[in-house]
Amino acid sequence: MDPNSKPQATNAISQPSKQIQNENIEPNKPNNQTNTKSFFSKKENDLEKAQSTNPPGTFNGFKIFGISSLNPYQNKWAIKARVTNKSNIRTYSNARGEGKLFNVELIDSTGEIRANGFNEQVDKFYEMLQIDQVYYISKANLKTANKQYCKLDNDYEMTFNNETVIQPCEETDDLPRINLNLVKIKEISNHAANDFVDVIGVVRSVGDVTTIITKSTNRELKKRELSIVDNSECAITATLWGKQAEDYDPSDSYPVILLKGAKIGDYNGKTLSVASTTVVQINPDLPEAHTVKGWFEQGGSESDIQDLSSQGMAAAGANSGGPISGHSNWKFLDQLKDEKLGMGDKADYFSTKAYVLYAKKDNSMYMACPGENCNKKIFDQNDGTYRCEKCARNYPNFKWRMILNINLADFAESNWATCFQETAETILGIGTEELGELKNSNDPKFDEIFSECAFKEFNFKLRAKMETYNDERRVKVSAVTVEPVDYAQSGRRILQKIKQFAKEQV
């Protein structure tokens, strides 16, 4: 190692990591690590490591330098580094034609650097370079790093070329496996959108895989949301994309997750997005991971958690099987007015426990388009068909949809809220199609359904947003989720509040 290179970074982790993974990556399984969860199937590394015949401190006739000492003005250098992350192979098209590329992230005791491979180098090096393995590398190009794509703490990046030489190294020494600059989830609120951060937390709930259509390419894209919490008693929603979203195991009970280089978003509060360069580990063998897991299991799961993602996950807790649901930011109904919720530029989200005083049956149902992904109101043509203006076609049938207005109350205040479809079905205790049949047949039970829900208590997650109707501005409140009250959980939450209040009085 170059005597002028920097000393080992204090935040470099040298313990064996459980798993480093990224989209379309098939990482090798580290030795003696049996509890690691992986998104992907393990791939046997059949590459036989060659014994080094280089004099000590050299490779391929060049002196081995520390990564931190490399610069574009050098051309006779070699490094010994560990692969910490590897992208999938991507394709591109420009004025010079089509091509393919990949990148890896390398680390030694002095720093990190990103290396890129194009076309022939993809064929030559992609299968050779495996996550967590150590390699000698020489004769690559160095240039100023493009910070739009490279978030490592290095002013330069490496590009493989036709003369690049890479050889596996059996002498791993004490090279670190990952370099972290961890922040607490609570601190993310102080970071700007598009910043990249490293976080460790417990996955408290897992959403379903959903499909969105991208505006730029009009392509379908899979996504899955995770709610992550740590011992700063804050939670944040992290989004997995593509194959990661599909391959994540939702049956794993409260795993610890490490995200290195997650991108911050600020839509509906603070969120995290797992980018193509993000390193993801499940249950990493790190002191910080053991600390946050211990906190969660020893009472942290029952804490009053502040959710930085104000909308949170509509399905939070649905797949978690545990005591924590997607509710956070608990408030009483009088705080809606006192704190002027919904009067800002963005919607405010909060949870409350309240009774249904009255459910308005007038105009609570409408005939909707049966077309896929269309819920627009349709019109009876009086010839056995129904017209949807949005789809510009007639249908032989329709489906019922609900827009239910309810009056909620707790000990402090009452307020009107709007419930759509699933939340309305939960309150009324009946499916929309069945209720529609009662309506069509003028069954007296239709009226009874609406009266029977009075004075039932639910946990509500509410959205408050200023809207203009008939030139009048007012805060509209709608229900995002509605769930039966878990009185044991509610009691624990109140007890936690009492303990917190008692501490503040000391």
Side-chain angles (χ1 to χ4, degrees), residues 366-377:
Y366 70 94
M367 297 185 297
C369 175
E372 187 176 359
N373 300 322
C374 182
N375 293 318
K376 290 293 184 180
K377 184 176 181 179

Side-chain angles (χ1 to χ4, degrees), residues 35-49:
N35 297 326
T36 300
K37 287 285 184 180
S38 174
F39 293 150
F40 313 105
S41 302
K42 302 293 187 295
K43 179 178 179 178
E44 294 297 330
N45 181 12
D46 56 2
L47 180 65
E48 185 175 339
K49 295 183 177 179

Side-chain angles (χ1 to χ4, degrees), residues 360-384:
K360 189 176 180 181
K361 67 181 179 181
D362 297 336
N363 301 318
S364 61
M365 306 188 72
Y366 70 94
M367 297 185 297
C369 175
E372 187 176 359
N373 300 322
C374 182
N375 293 318
K376 290 293 184 180
K377 184 176 181 179
I378 62 174
F379 302 94
D380 191 345
Q381 300 293 95
N382 296 319
D383 60 359

Side-chain angles (χ1 to χ4, degrees), residues 250-262:
S251 65
D252 195 359
S253 180
Y254 305 128
V256 175
I257 190 169
L258 164 64
L259 302 178
K260 173 180 167 59

Side-chain angles (χ1 to χ4, degrees), residues 194-206:
N194 299 321
D195 282 357
F196 287 78
V197 292
D198 305 342
V199 296
I200 282 182
V202 176
V203 179
R204 64 172 184 164
S205 54
V206 182

Side-chain angles (χ1 to χ4, degrees), residues 61 68 129 170 244 283 318 381:
S68 65
L129 294 170
E170 289 185 343
Q244 281 182 325
N283 293 324
Q381 300 293 95

